C-alpha cells in the first residue's frame, strides 16, 4: 500500500501527463484548424487539411475528458474553485468545443462557397480560442487567482473574465498559441498533400521561432517580475485536505523548485532543444518533425508545472488559501482506487489510439479529395 503523500505526488504527475496528452493529441488538430485559411488556399486544399484530422479529432478529445475527470476525482477542491471562478473563460472553451463538431458536420451540407467559408471561420475561431485561453489560464496561475476560503472552507471569488487578461497572461497565451500552431503545422507537413506540406513547413518554422521568443520572454518575466509563492515551514503531506492548515509566503522566486530539484531543468531544456529540432527536421516532412513538436509541447507544460510545484492554484487574495497537491486532494482510499483503475484503462486507451493512427497513416492528397468529392 502506498502512503498518502506518495499517492498525492503520483496523481499530480498523472494529472500533468493527461494535460500533456491533451495538448499533444488535441493540440495539433486545433493548430490545423487555426491555420485552415492560411494553409488551404482553396476549398480542395482545405478539404485535404480537414480530412487529415477528421478521423481522429473526436478521439483526441478523450484526453480532455480524462483530464477533467481526473481533476474532479483526484483534486476536487481544484476542480470546484477553478470551474466556479473561471466560469466564463471555461464557458468560452466549451463553446469552442461544441462548435467544432458542428463545423465539421455542417460544412459540406450545402455546396456553396459562402457556406463552406462560414464554417471554415468557425473552425479557425474555435481553434484559436482554445489555444489562446489555455495559455492565458496558465499565466494566471503564476499571478494568483482572486479567491479565498473562510474558516468553514466556503470559497469566494472576486473579479471577472477581463481581470484574467493581465499582460503576463496574454504573453503566456501567445506562447500557447504559437506553440500549438507550430504543432499543427508539423502535422500538416506530415499528413497533407506535398503542395500544402511545403507551405506548412515554412509556417512551422516561423511559429516555432515565435514560440521560442515568447517562451524565453515569459521565463525572464517570471524570474524577475512575478513574485513567487512558498509554503513556510514543513508541508503537511499526510494530513487531511485543508488548505488553511498551512502558511504561505509571497515574494520569493517561482524558480525555487528548480533550485531544490535540479532535474526540473530538463523540462525547459527539452522544450527549447525540441524547438531547434523542429527547425532542423521539419523540411523532411516526416514523423520526426511531429515528434519534435510533441516534445516541445510536453516540455513546455512540464516546465510550468515544475515551476508551480507544489502549488496547483495560488490565491492572490489570501496566500494561505492557495491550493497545493498536499491539501486539495481526495482521500487516500479514493486515490488508491483510482490509481488501480487508471493502471488498467490508460494503457488500453494508449494502445487503441496507436492502432487508430496506424490504420489512418499516410498522406491525404489533392487527387484523393477530388475523386471523393467530385470536384467540389
Amino acid at each position: 500500500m502506498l502512503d498518502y503523500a506518495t499517492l498525492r505526488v503520483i496523481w499530480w504527475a498523472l494529472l500533468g501527463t493527461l494535460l500533456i496528452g491533451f495538448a499533444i493529441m488535441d493540440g495539433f488538430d486545433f493548430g490545423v484548424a487555426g491555420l485552415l485559411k492560411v494553409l488551404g488556399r482553396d476549398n480542395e486544399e482545405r478539404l485535404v487539411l480537414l480530412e487529415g484530422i477528421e478521423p481522429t479529432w473526436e478521439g483526441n478529445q478523450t484526453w480532455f475528458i480524462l483530464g477533467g475527470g481526473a481533476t474532479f476525482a483526484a483534486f476536487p477542491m481544484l476542480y470546484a474553485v477553478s470551474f466556479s471562478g473561471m466560469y466564463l473563460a471555461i464557458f468560452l472553451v466549451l463553446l469552442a468545443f461544441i462548435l467544432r463538431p458542428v463545423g465539421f458536420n455542417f460544412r459540406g451540407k450545402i455546396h456553396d462557397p459562402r457556406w463552406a467559408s462560414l464554417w471554415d471561420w468557425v473552425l479557425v475561431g474555435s481553434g484559436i480560442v482554445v489555444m489562446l485561453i489555455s495559455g492565458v489560464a496558465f499565466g494566471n496561475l503564476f499571478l494568483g487567482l482572486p479567491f479565498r476560503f473562510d474558516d468553514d472552507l466556503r470559497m469566494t471569488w472576486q473579479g471577472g473574465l477581463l481581470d484574467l487578461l493581465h499582460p503576463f497572461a496574454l504573453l503566456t497565451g501567445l506562447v500557447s498559441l504559437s506553440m500549438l500552431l507550430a504543432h499543427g503545422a508539423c502535422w500538416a507537413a506530415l499528413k497533407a498533400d506535398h503542395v500544402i506540406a511545403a507551405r506548412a513547413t515554412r509556417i512551422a518554422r516561423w511559429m516555432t521561432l515565435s514560440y521560442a521568443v515568447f517562451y524565453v520572454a515569459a521565463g525572464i518575466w517570471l524570474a524577475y517580475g512575478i513574485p513567487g509563492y512558498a509554503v513556510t515551514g514543513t508541508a503537511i503531506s499526510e494530513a487531511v485536505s485543508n488548505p488553511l492548515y498551512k502558511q504561505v509566503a509571497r515574494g520569493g522566486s517561482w524558480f525555487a523548485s528548480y533550485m531544490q530539484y535540479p532535474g526540473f531543468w530538463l523540462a525547459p531544456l527539452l522544450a527549447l532543444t525540441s524547438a531547434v529540432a523542429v527547425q532542423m527536421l521539419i523540411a523532411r516532412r516526416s514523423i520526426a518533425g511531429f515528434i519534435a513538436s510533441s516534445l516541445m509541447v510536453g516540455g513546455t507544460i512540464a516546465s510550468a508545472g515544475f515551476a508551480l510545484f507544489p502549488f496547483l492554484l495560488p490565491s492572490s487574495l489570501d496566500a494561505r488559501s492557495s491550493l497545493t497537491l498536499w491539501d486539495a486532494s481526495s482521500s487516500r482510499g479514493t486515490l488508491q482506487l483510482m490509481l488501480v483503475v487508471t493502471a488498467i484503462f490508460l494503457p488500453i486507451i494508449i494502445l487503441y489510439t496507436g492502432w487508430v493512427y496506424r490504420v489512418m497513416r499516410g498522406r491525404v492528397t489533392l487527387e484523393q479529395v477530388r475523386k471523393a468529392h467530385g470536384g467540389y
Side-chain angles (χ1 to χ4, degrees), residues 282-368:
I282 191 62
R284 301 180 185 179
R285 302 172 198 170
S286 65
I287 190 67
F290 181 72
I291 291 174
S293 70
S294 298
L295 292 173
M296 179 178 71
V297 172
T300 302
I301 295 174
S303 66
F306 290 156
L308 286 166
F309 182 85
F311 290 91
L312 299 173
L313 203 67
S315 168
S316 60
L317 297 183
D318 175 25
R320 191 172 64 129
S321 295
S322 300
L323 300 180
T324 73
L325 67 98
W326 309 123
D327 54 38
S329 73
S330 294
S331 67
R332 177 180 177 180
T334 300
L335 296 181
Q336 185 82 51
L337 176 61
M338 287 175 55
L339 186 59
V340 173
V341 173
T342 302
I344 295 171
F345 286 101
L346 187 58
I348 295 174
I349 293 171
I350 294 173
L351 288 172
Y352 173 75
T353 301
W355 176 79
V356 169
Y357 277 88
R358 184 179 184 279
V359 171
M360 302 305 299
R361 68 187 183 278
R363 290 188 181 274
V364 179
T365 66
L366 286 166
E367 183 181 359
Q368 291 170 343

Side-chain angles (χ1 to χ4, degrees), residues 4-301:
Y4 201 5
T6 302
L7 283 169
R8 283 167 159 164
V9 173
I10 288 173
W11 272 103
W12 171 78
L14 279 174
L15 187 61
T17 300
L18 292 174
L19 182 59
I20 290 171
F22 164 65
I24 291 174
M25 302 305 296
D26 225 14
F28 75 77
D29 57 52
F30 278 115
V32 171
L35 293 169
L36 189 60
K37 286 283 193 176
V38 177
L39 290 176
R41 300 292 174 83
D42 56 33
N43 186 64
E44 288 181 343
E45 292 187 352
R46 289 172 197 140
L47 284 171
V48 168
L49 291 165
L50 292 175
E51 293 193 6
I53 60 176
E54 277 188 293
T56 54
W57 73 266
E58 200 164 12
N60 289 340
Q61 292 190 167
T62 301
W63 294 93
F64 179 73
I65 297 168
L66 286 173
T71 305
F72 175 78
F75 297 102
M77 295 184 73
L78 170 64
Y79 182 93
V81 173
S82 58
F83 276 64
S84 298
M86 293 189 287
Y87 178 82
L88 286 178
I90 293 172
F91 172 79
L92 289 175
V93 171
L94 292 178
L95 180 62
F97 271 95
I98 292 169
L99 289 174
R100 271 161 55 83
V102 178
F104 282 123
N105 293 325
F106 276 42
R107 186 185 187 279
K109 295 296 183 182
I110 300 175
H111 289 186
D112 184 315
R114 291 171 299 178
W115 175 264
S117 180
L118 169 65
W119 294 109
D120 286 344
W121 282 114
V122 168
L123 292 170
V124 170
S126 64
I128 289 175
V129 164
V130 173
M131 293 184 287
L132 187 60
I133 290 182
S134 298
V136 168
F138 254 104
N140 275 281
L141 295 182
F142 293 103
L143 297 167
L145 291 163
F147 71 93
R148 61 159 53 95
F149 293 106
D150 64 16
D151 291 338
D152 295 320
L153 291 183
R154 290 175 297 190
M155 190 273 289
T156 56
W157 183 285
Q158 297 178 11
L161 178 62
L162 295 180
D163 296 312
L164 301 177
L165 303 180
H166 184 279
F168 175 76
L170 292 175
L171 176 59
T172 57
L174 291 176
V175 172
S176 173
L177 181 62
S178 56
M179 175 182 72
L180 294 178
L181 287 176
H183 192 42
C186 288
W187 177 258
L190 169 67
K191 192 73 177 175
D193 187 276
H194 288 288
V195 174
I196 304 170
R199 211 172 291 147
T201 298
R202 294 192 295 271
I203 292 175
R205 283 177 168 158
W206 279 108
M207 287 296 102
T208 305
L209 179 61
S210 300
Y211 153 79
V213 172
F214 292 142
Y215 181 69
V216 171
I220 294 171
W221 193 341
L222 186 64
Y224 297 103
I226 308 294
Y229 287 62
V231 177
T232 57
T234 303
I236 307 174
S237 58
E238 293 279 357
V240 296
S241 291
N242 187 327
L244 301 183
Y245 284 171
K246 66 180 181 303
Q247 295 296 324
V248 176
R250 292 198 66 182
S253 170
W254 276 117
F255 287 91
S257 59
Y258 281 82
M259 305 306 166
Q260 186 176 0
Y261 306 101
F264 284 1
W265 287 105
L266 292 174
L269 180 63
L270 176 65
L272 291 173
T273 55
S274 297
V276 174
V278 170
Q279 294 283 338
M280 297 171 61
L281 298 172
I282 191 62
R284 301 180 185 179
R285 302 172 198 170
S286 65
I287 190 67
F290 181 72
I291 291 174
S293 70
S294 298
L295 292 173
M296 179 178 71
V297 172
T300 302
I301 295 174

